[in-house]
Amino acid sequence: MAQYDTTWFEKGLAELEITLNEKQIEQFLTYYELLVEWNKVMNLTAITEYEEVITKHFLDSVASVKVCDYSKPMKILDLGTGAGFPGIPLKIAFPDQEIVLLDSLNKRVKFLNTVIETLGLTGIRAIHGRAEDYARQADYREQFDLCVSRAVANLSTLSEYCLPYVKVGGHFIPYKSGKIQDELTGAKTAIKILGGNLEKTEKFQLADTDMERSFVVIRKTKPTGKKFPRKAGLPSKEPIK
């Protein structure tokens, strides 16, 4: 492995009050190398510079510690995980969590499985499929304490895909941009219909950047109606209003 200056990374972690041991730091660095290597042959991320990956992928992924207590073990779903964000960084930083990574592209799932195996991670698995299909399976529907997602979709659409996975009393926390007010206003009805309740929104800036972020904390207060999520495409074409 190449030599990396981890000062920047450790500073950002300290600001989030996260302490990692040497093995965990090494796992992150190996993950970075795998990401860059695989990105040469498939489109995983447009961000490949070391410090940018540290900030915009790794620190961003674990920043949900601002609104979520990871000190207790939970069953977590990362929906639309892509290259493994935020699920894999959360697993490295908080190894007691049980995490399922869901992505619709099989070649990305192969990458995720390589990362999991290379890093020696346990209690985490990657599955290939569509959100609306797994949400109808008893082993997945309303089985998770927490669903997280950095997927690019408006909040109404994302809530329809994610809330069916969350058990009553659990939470859905999407990673959104800083300018979230219009999305929140437009998604309030959908969140309520899907069995959720908007608890709070935490806005912040990523360490030493001008990147604005928002975590929207949605609590599941009642079961999601069986007709949700609707078939592929409808949540985005005809969002709940």
Side-chain angles (χ1 to χ4, degrees), residues 78-88 100-103 108 112 126 149 151:
D78 176 8
L79 189 145
T81 185
F85 307 120
I88 290 178
V100 175
L101 310 170
L102 174 59
D103 198 82
R108 282 199 292 256
L112 298 171
S149 183

Side-chain angles (χ1 to χ4, degrees), residues 43-112:
N43 183 26
L44 290 169
T45 176
I47 298 167
T48 56
E49 291 298 322
Y50 172 67
E51 285 196 354
E52 278 201 288
V53 170
I54 291 294
T55 302
K56 296 179 180 179
H57 284 327
F58 294 170
L59 290 174
D60 183 51
S61 290
V62 299
S64 55
V65 72
K66 288 176 171 284
V67 293
C68 189
D69 180 9
Y70 290 109
S71 65
K72 57 181 181 180
M74 292 182 287
K75 189 173 181 181
I76 301 171
L77 174 69
D78 176 8
L79 189 145
T81 185
F85 307 120
I88 290 178
L90 287 174
K91 181 64 184 179
I92 297 172
F94 309 107
D96 291 338
Q97 304 304 322
E98 179 184 347
I99 298 181
V100 175
L101 310 170
L102 174 59
D103 198 82
S104 61
L105 199 61
N106 196 40
K107 62 182 180 180
R108 282 199 292 256
V109 172
K110 289 180 180 178
F111 165 73
L112 298 171

Side-chain angles (χ1 to χ4, degrees), residues 8 11-13 15-16 47 51-64 66 150 175-178 202-215:
W8 175 273
K11 178 177 181 287
L13 290 167
E15 290 180 8
L16 294 169
I47 298 167
E51 285 196 354
E52 278 201 288
V53 170
I54 291 294
T55 302
K56 296 179 180 179
H57 284 327
F58 294 170
L59 290 174
D60 183 51
S61 290
V62 299
S64 55
K66 288 176 171 284
R150 291 209 319 174
Y175 290 56
K176 304 297 290 183
S177 70
E202 178 87 12
K203 295 185 178 182
F204 67 101
Q205 280 189 308
L206 279 178
D208 295 320
T209 75
D210 56 2
M211 271 186 67
E212 294 182 333
R213 264 300 199 192
S214 294
F215 289 120

